[in-house]
PDB file of all heavy atoms in Angstrom:
ATOM      1  N   GLY A  17     -15.076  -5.647  16.518  1.00 98.00           N
ATOM      2  CA  GLY A  17     -14.337  -6.277  15.424  1.00 98.00           C
ATOM      3  C   GLY A  17     -13.247  -7.195  15.941  1.00 98.00           C
ATOM      4  O   GLY A  17     -12.275  -6.736  16.545  1.00 98.00           O
ATOM      5  N   GLY A  19     -11.203  -8.982  14.084  1.00 97.00           N
ATOM      6  CA  GLY A  19     -10.211  -9.272  13.050  1.00 97.00           C
ATOM      7  C   GLY A  19      -8.861  -9.298  13.755  1.00 97.00           C
ATOM      8  O   GLY A  19      -8.790  -9.252  14.997  1.00 97.00           O
ATOM      9  N   PRO A  20      -7.774  -9.345  13.002  1.00 97.00           N
ATOM     10  CA  PRO A  20      -6.463  -9.410  13.648  1.00 97.00           C
ATOM     11  C   PRO A  20      -6.216  -8.247  14.610  1.00 97.00           C
ATOM     12  O   PRO A  20      -5.667  -8.442  15.701  1.00 97.00           O
ATOM     13  CB  PRO A  20      -5.474  -9.345  12.482  1.00 97.00           C
ATOM     14  CG  PRO A  20      -6.243  -9.485  11.236  1.00 97.00           C
ATOM     15  CD  PRO A  20      -7.698  -9.384  11.534  1.00 97.00           C
ATOM     16  N   VAL A  21      -6.654  -7.055  14.246  1.00 98.00           N
ATOM     17  CA  VAL A  21      -6.314  -5.874  15.050  1.00 98.00           C
ATOM     18  C   VAL A  21      -7.107  -5.846  16.360  1.00 98.00           C
ATOM     19  O   VAL A  21      -6.543  -5.641  17.443  1.00 98.00           O
ATOM     20  CB  VAL A  21      -6.513  -4.588  14.205  1.00 98.00           C
ATOM     21  CG1 VAL A  21      -6.244  -3.343  15.033  1.00 98.00           C
ATOM     22  CG2 VAL A  21      -5.590  -4.631  12.989  1.00 98.00           C
ATOM     23  N   GLU A  40     -18.003  -9.143  17.969  1.00 98.00           N
ATOM     24  CA  GLU A  40     -17.744  -9.490  16.565  1.00 98.00           C
ATOM     25  C   GLU A  40     -19.042  -9.993  15.949  1.00 98.00           C
ATOM     26  O   GLU A  40     -19.718 -10.841  16.526  1.00 98.00           O
ATOM     27  CB  GLU A  40     -16.645 -10.563  16.506  1.00 98.00           C
ATOM     28  CG  GLU A  40     -16.512 -11.312  15.201  1.00 98.00           C
ATOM     29  CD  GLU A  40     -16.195 -10.430  13.988  1.00 98.00           C
ATOM     30  OE1 GLU A  40     -15.297  -9.571  14.092  1.00 98.00           O
ATOM     31  OE2 GLU A  40     -16.883 -10.595  12.958  1.00 98.00           O
ATOM     32  N   ARG A  41     -19.357  -9.485  14.760  1.00 98.00           N
ATOM     33  CA  ARG A  41     -20.643  -9.854  14.150  1.00 98.00           C
ATOM     34  C   ARG A  41     -20.677 -11.310  13.676  1.00 98.00           C
ATOM     35  O   ARG A  41     -21.717 -11.943  13.672  1.00 98.00           O
ATOM     36  CB  ARG A  41     -20.972  -8.910  12.995  1.00 98.00           C
ATOM     37  CG  ARG A  41     -20.046  -9.038  11.812  1.00 98.00           C
ATOM     38  CD  ARG A  41     -20.353  -8.049  10.707  1.00 98.00           C
ATOM     39  NE  ARG A  41     -19.288  -8.086   9.716  1.00 98.00           N
ATOM     40  CZ  ARG A  41     -19.083  -7.162   8.807  1.00 98.00           C
ATOM     41  NH1 ARG A  41     -19.848  -6.104   8.758  1.00 98.00           N
ATOM     42  NH2 ARG A  41     -18.103  -7.279   7.948  1.00 98.00           N
ATOM     43  N   LYS A  50      -6.701 -13.092   3.078  1.00 85.00           N
ATOM     44  CA  LYS A  50      -6.143 -11.783   2.717  1.00 85.00           C
ATOM     45  C   LYS A  50      -4.665 -11.706   3.087  1.00 85.00           C
ATOM     46  O   LYS A  50      -3.793 -11.741   2.244  1.00 85.00           O
ATOM     47  CB  LYS A  50      -6.941 -10.676   3.410  1.00 85.00           C
ATOM     48  CG  LYS A  50      -8.401 -10.647   2.986  1.00 85.00           C
ATOM     49  CD  LYS A  50      -9.085  -9.373   3.386  1.00 85.00           C
ATOM     50  CE  LYS A  50      -9.583  -9.368   4.803  1.00 85.00           C
ATOM     51  NZ  LYS A  50     -10.331  -8.172   5.158  1.00 85.00           N
ATOM     52  N   LEU A  51      -4.410 -11.614   4.368  1.00 85.00           N
ATOM     53  CA  LEU A  51      -3.029 -11.488   4.828  1.00 85.00           C
ATOM     54  C   LEU A  51      -2.231 -12.759   4.552  1.00 85.00           C
ATOM     55  O   LEU A  51      -2.730 -13.863   4.770  1.00 85.00           O
ATOM     56  CB  LEU A  51      -3.085 -11.236   6.336  1.00 85.00           C
ATOM     57  CG  LEU A  51      -1.923 -11.706   7.185  1.00 85.00           C
ATOM     58  CD1 LEU A  51      -0.915 -10.598   7.283  1.00 85.00           C
ATOM     59  CD2 LEU A  51      -2.406 -12.098   8.546  1.00 85.00           C
ATOM     60  N   ASP A  52      -1.017 -12.637   4.064  1.00 91.00           N
ATOM     61  CA  ASP A  52      -0.150 -13.816   4.035  1.00 91.00           C
ATOM     62  C   ASP A  52       1.231 -13.520   4.602  1.00 91.00           C
ATOM     63  O   ASP A  52       2.018 -14.417   4.795  1.00 91.00           O
ATOM     64  CB  ASP A  52      -0.043 -14.420   2.627  1.00 91.00           C
ATOM     65  CG  ASP A  52       0.705 -13.524   1.662  1.00 91.00           C
ATOM     66  OD1 ASP A  52       0.635 -12.299   1.826  1.00 91.00           O
ATOM     67  OD2 ASP A  52       1.350 -14.052   0.748  1.00 91.00           O
ATOM     68  N   LEU A  53       1.515 -12.257   4.901  1.00 96.00           N
ATOM     69  CA  LEU A  53       2.804 -11.915   5.509  1.00 96.00           C
ATOM     70  C   LEU A  53       2.599 -11.222   6.848  1.00 96.00           C
ATOM     71  O   LEU A  53       1.996 -10.151   6.919  1.00 96.00           O
ATOM     72  CB  LEU A  53       3.598 -10.966   4.593  1.00 96.00           C
ATOM     73  CG  LEU A  53       4.834 -10.351   5.252  1.00 96.00           C
ATOM     74  CD1 LEU A  53       5.894 -11.412   5.539  1.00 96.00           C
ATOM     75  CD2 LEU A  53       5.426  -9.240   4.405  1.00 96.00           C
ATOM     76  N   GLN A 132      -4.497 -15.486   6.721  1.00 92.00           N
ATOM     77  CA  GLN A 132      -5.307 -14.803   7.736  1.00 92.00           C
ATOM     78  C   GLN A 132      -6.260 -15.747   8.491  1.00 92.00           C
ATOM     79  O   GLN A 132      -6.363 -15.643   9.713  1.00 92.00           O
ATOM     80  CB  GLN A 132      -6.081 -13.645   7.081  1.00 92.00           C
ATOM     81  CG  GLN A 132      -6.630 -12.656   8.077  1.00 92.00           C
ATOM     82  CD  GLN A 132      -6.734 -11.242   7.510  1.00 92.00           C
ATOM     83  OE1 GLN A 132      -6.027 -10.884   6.580  1.00 92.00           O
ATOM     84  NE2 GLN A 132      -7.592 -10.437   8.070  1.00 92.00           N
ATOM     85  N   TRP A 155     -22.447 -10.629  17.671  1.00 97.00           N
ATOM     86  CA  TRP A 155     -22.962  -9.308  18.040  1.00 97.00           C
ATOM     87  C   TRP A 155     -22.578  -8.306  16.949  1.00 97.00           C
ATOM     88  O   TRP A 155     -21.393  -8.126  16.648  1.00 97.00           O
ATOM     89  CB  TRP A 155     -22.347  -8.825  19.358  1.00 97.00           C
ATOM     90  CG  TRP A 155     -22.986  -9.375  20.591  1.00 97.00           C
ATOM     91  CD1 TRP A 155     -23.559 -10.597  20.749  1.00 97.00           C
ATOM     92  CD2 TRP A 155     -23.093  -8.699  21.850  1.00 97.00           C
ATOM     93  NE1 TRP A 155     -24.015 -10.743  22.031  1.00 97.00           N
ATOM     94  CE2 TRP A 155     -23.741  -9.593  22.731  1.00 97.00           C
ATOM     95  CE3 TRP A 155     -22.706  -7.453  22.330  1.00 97.00           C
ATOM     96  CZ2 TRP A 155     -24.012  -9.264  24.053  1.00 97.00           C
ATOM     97  CZ3 TRP A 155     -22.964  -7.124  23.643  1.00 97.00           C
ATOM     98  CH2 TRP A 155     -23.624  -8.025  24.493  1.00 97.00           C
ATOM     99  N   TYR A 157     -22.476  -4.431  15.781  1.00 98.00           N
ATOM    100  CA  TYR A 157     -22.565  -3.028  16.201  1.00 98.00           C
ATOM    101  C   TYR A 157     -23.590  -2.321  15.324  1.00 98.00           C
ATOM    102  O   TYR A 157     -23.574  -2.472  14.094  1.00 98.00           O
ATOM    103  CB  TYR A 157     -21.187  -2.362  16.047  1.00 98.00           C
ATOM    104  CG  TYR A 157     -21.248  -0.850  15.960  1.00 98.00           C
ATOM    105  CD1 TYR A 157     -21.177  -0.063  17.105  1.00 98.00           C
ATOM    106  CD2 TYR A 157     -21.393  -0.213  14.726  1.00 98.00           C
ATOM    107  CE1 TYR A 157     -21.249   1.320  17.018  1.00 98.00           C
ATOM    108  CE2 TYR A 157     -21.465   1.167  14.631  1.00 98.00           C
ATOM    109  CZ  TYR A 157     -21.395   1.933  15.782  1.00 98.00           C
ATOM    110  OH  TYR A 157     -21.470   3.299  15.695  1.00 98.00           O
ATOM    111  N   CYS A 189     -12.411  -1.433  15.613  1.00 98.00           N
ATOM    112  CA  CYS A 189     -11.524  -2.349  14.876  1.00 98.00           C
ATOM    113  C   CYS A 189     -12.392  -3.093  13.877  1.00 98.00           C
ATOM    114  O   CYS A 189     -12.229  -4.289  13.646  1.00 98.00           O
ATOM    115  CB  CYS A 189     -10.839  -3.324  15.834  1.00 98.00           C
ATOM    116  SG  CYS A 189      -9.762  -2.523  17.012  1.00 98.00           S
ATOM    117  N   ASP A 190     -13.374  -2.368  13.330  1.00 98.00           N
ATOM    118  CA  ASP A 190     -14.383  -3.010  12.487  1.00 98.00           C
ATOM    119  C   ASP A 190     -14.057  -2.898  11.000  1.00 98.00           C
ATOM    120  O   ASP A 190     -14.947  -2.947  10.154  1.00 98.00           O
ATOM    121  CB  ASP A 190     -15.788  -2.464  12.802  1.00 98.00           C
ATOM    122  CG  ASP A 190     -15.878  -0.946  12.744  1.00 98.00           C
ATOM    123  OD1 ASP A 190     -14.817  -0.289  12.776  1.00 98.00           O
ATOM    124  OD2 ASP A 190     -16.997  -0.413  12.667  1.00 98.00           O
ATOM    125  N   HIS A 255      -5.178 -13.801  -8.085  1.00 96.00           N
ATOM    126  CA  HIS A 255      -5.864 -12.504  -8.202  1.00 96.00           C
ATOM    127  C   HIS A 255      -5.745 -12.067  -9.657  1.00 96.00           C
ATOM    128  O   HIS A 255      -4.634 -11.839 -10.146  1.00 96.00           O
ATOM    129  CB  HIS A 255      -5.190 -11.438  -7.330  1.00 96.00           C
ATOM    130  CG  HIS A 255      -5.207 -11.735  -5.863  1.00 96.00           C
ATOM    131  ND1 HIS A 255      -6.121 -11.186  -4.996  1.00 96.00           N
ATOM    132  CD2 HIS A 255      -4.406 -12.521  -5.098  1.00 96.00           C
ATOM    133  CE1 HIS A 255      -5.886 -11.618  -3.766  1.00 96.00           C
ATOM    134  NE2 HIS A 255      -4.845 -12.428  -3.799  1.00 96.00           N
ATOM    135  N   ASP A 318      -7.631  -1.263   9.916  1.00 97.00           N
ATOM    136  CA  ASP A 318      -8.220  -0.834   8.644  1.00 97.00           C
ATOM    137  C   ASP A 318      -9.308   0.224   8.816  1.00 97.00           C
ATOM    138  O   ASP A 318      -9.617   0.928   7.864  1.00 97.00           O
ATOM    139  CB  ASP A 318      -8.812  -2.042   7.899  1.00 97.00           C
ATOM    140  CG  ASP A 318      -7.772  -2.743   7.027  1.00 97.00           C
ATOM    141  OD1 ASP A 318      -6.566  -2.560   7.281  1.00 97.00           O
ATOM    142  OD2 ASP A 318      -8.166  -3.473   6.099  1.00 97.00           O
ATOM    143  N   GLY A 328       2.672  -5.509   1.916  1.00 93.00           N
ATOM    144  CA  GLY A 328       2.142  -6.259   3.064  1.00 93.00           C
ATOM    145  C   GLY A 328       2.030  -5.404   4.317  1.00 93.00           C
ATOM    146  O   GLY A 328       2.341  -5.839   5.418  1.00 93.00           O
ATOM    147  N   GLY A 330      -0.851  -3.808   5.455  1.00 95.00           N
ATOM    148  CA  GLY A 330      -2.202  -3.607   5.993  1.00 95.00           C
ATOM    149  C   GLY A 330      -2.345  -4.028   7.437  1.00 95.00           C
ATOM    150  O   GLY A 330      -2.377  -3.202   8.352  1.00 95.00           O
ATOM    151  N   MET A 331      -2.416  -5.338   7.658  1.00 96.00           N
ATOM    152  CA  MET A 331      -2.583  -5.803   9.028  1.00 96.00           C
ATOM    153  C   MET A 331      -1.373  -5.440   9.874  1.00 96.00           C
ATOM    154  O   MET A 331      -1.489  -5.137  11.058  1.00 96.00           O
ATOM    155  CB  MET A 331      -2.777  -7.312   9.074  1.00 96.00           C
ATOM    156  CG  MET A 331      -2.909  -7.774  10.506  1.00 96.00           C
ATOM    157  SD  MET A 331      -2.382  -9.443  10.851  1.00 96.00           S
ATOM    158  CE  MET A 331      -0.623  -9.359  10.756  1.00 96.00           C
ATOM    159  N   ASN A 332      -0.205  -5.474   9.249  1.00 97.00           N
ATOM    160  CA  ASN A 332       1.008  -5.216  10.031  1.00 97.00           C
ATOM    161  C   ASN A 332       0.989  -3.820  10.653  1.00 97.00           C
ATOM    162  O   ASN A 332       1.436  -3.640  11.786  1.00 97.00           O
ATOM    163  CB  ASN A 332       2.235  -5.436   9.147  1.00 97.00           C
ATOM    164  CG  ASN A 332       2.430  -6.916   8.847  1.00 97.00           C
ATOM    165  OD1 ASN A 332       2.444  -7.730   9.763  1.00 97.00           O
ATOM    166  ND2 ASN A 332       2.528  -7.274   7.581  1.00 97.00           N
TER     167      ASN A 332
HETATM  168  C1  FAD B   1      -5.755  -9.501  -1.081  1.00 94.88           C
HETATM  169  C2  FAD B   1      -5.250  -8.947   0.218  1.00 94.88           C
HETATM  170  C3  FAD B   1      -3.997  -9.345   0.701  1.00 94.88           C
HETATM  171  C4  FAD B   1      -3.502  -8.822   1.894  1.00 94.88           C
HETATM  172  N1  FAD B   1      -2.264  -9.209   2.353  1.00 94.88           N
HETATM  173  C5  FAD B   1      -1.765  -8.674   3.495  1.00 94.88           C
HETATM  174  C6  FAD B   1      -0.480  -9.050   4.006  1.00 94.88           C
HETATM  175  O1  FAD B   1       0.212  -9.888   3.439  1.00 94.88           O
HETATM  176  N2  FAD B   1      -0.040  -8.454   5.148  1.00 94.88           N
HETATM  177  C7  FAD B   1      -0.795  -7.537   5.807  1.00 94.88           C
HETATM  178  O2  FAD B   1      -0.339  -7.016   6.827  1.00 94.88           O
HETATM  179  N3  FAD B   1      -2.024  -7.195   5.378  1.00 94.88           N
HETATM  180  C8  FAD B   1      -2.525  -7.726   4.252  1.00 94.88           C
HETATM  181  N4  FAD B   1      -3.774  -7.373   3.816  1.00 94.88           N
HETATM  182  C9  FAD B   1      -4.566  -6.430   4.608  1.00 94.88           C
HETATM  183  C10 FAD B   1      -5.196  -7.107   5.821  1.00 94.88           C
HETATM  184  O3  FAD B   1      -6.010  -8.172   5.416  1.00 94.88           O
HETATM  185  C11 FAD B   1      -6.016  -6.077   6.598  1.00 94.88           C
HETATM  186  O4  FAD B   1      -5.232  -4.924   6.782  1.00 94.88           O
HETATM  187  C12 FAD B   1      -6.438  -6.626   7.954  1.00 94.88           C
HETATM  188  O5  FAD B   1      -7.372  -7.660   7.812  1.00 94.88           O
HETATM  189  C13 FAD B   1      -7.056  -5.510   8.797  1.00 94.88           C
HETATM  190  O6  FAD B   1      -7.408  -6.031  10.032  1.00 94.88           O
HETATM  191  P1  FAD B   1      -8.552  -5.349  10.903  1.00 94.88           P
HETATM  192  O7  FAD B   1      -8.669  -6.203  12.112  1.00 94.88           O
HETATM  193  O8  FAD B   1      -8.280  -3.906  11.051  1.00 94.88           O
HETATM  194  O9  FAD B   1      -9.866  -5.429   9.997  1.00 94.88           O
HETATM  195  P2  FAD B   1     -10.619  -6.711   9.427  1.00 94.88           P
HETATM  196  O10 FAD B   1      -9.691  -7.826   9.188  1.00 94.88           O
HETATM  197  O11 FAD B   1     -11.437  -6.217   8.290  1.00 94.88           O
HETATM  198  O12 FAD B   1     -11.567  -7.139  10.617  1.00 94.88           O
HETATM  199  C14 FAD B   1     -12.700  -6.375  10.965  1.00 94.88           C
HETATM  200  C15 FAD B   1     -13.620  -7.237  11.805  1.00 94.88           C
HETATM  201  O13 FAD B   1     -14.713  -6.429  12.245  1.00 94.88           O
HETATM  202  C16 FAD B   1     -15.907  -7.160  12.093  1.00 94.88           C
HETATM  203  N5  FAD B   1     -17.000  -6.190  11.931  1.00 94.88           N
HETATM  204  C17 FAD B   1     -17.180  -5.323  10.905  1.00 94.88           C
HETATM  205  N6  FAD B   1     -18.301  -4.607  11.103  1.00 94.88           N
HETATM  206  C18 FAD B   1     -18.829  -5.015  12.281  1.00 94.88           C
HETATM  207  C19 FAD B   1     -19.998  -4.641  13.020  1.00 94.88           C
HETATM  208  N7  FAD B   1     -20.852  -3.711  12.570  1.00 94.88           N
HETATM  209  N8  FAD B   1     -20.229  -5.254  14.200  1.00 94.88           N
HETATM  210  C20 FAD B   1     -19.371  -6.210  14.673  1.00 94.88           C
HETATM  211  N9  FAD B   1     -18.272  -6.619  13.998  1.00 94.88           N
HETATM  212  C21 FAD B   1     -17.997  -6.020  12.821  1.00 94.88           C
HETATM  213  C22 FAD B   1     -15.674  -8.006  10.841  1.00 94.88           C
HETATM  214  O14 FAD B   1     -16.542  -9.118  10.798  1.00 94.88           O
HETATM  215  C23 FAD B   1     -14.212  -8.401  11.011  1.00 94.88           C
HETATM  216  O15 FAD B   1     -14.071  -9.590  11.745  1.00 94.88           O
HETATM  217  C24 FAD B   1      -4.285  -7.884   2.613  1.00 94.88           C
HETATM  218  C25 FAD B   1      -5.553  -7.496   2.147  1.00 94.88           C
HETATM  219  C26 FAD B   1      -6.032  -8.013   0.952  1.00 94.88           C
HETATM  220  C27 FAD B   1      -7.391  -7.581   0.450  1.00 94.88           C
END
Side-chain angles (χ1 to χ4, degrees):
V21 177
E40 164 60 46
R41 67 183 171 196
K50 298 195 277 184
L51 151 91
D52 68 329
L53 169 67
Q132 196 150 336
W155 279 32
Y157 159 90
C189 297
D190 53 343
H255 298 261
D318 273 20
M331 178 208 73
N332 289 309

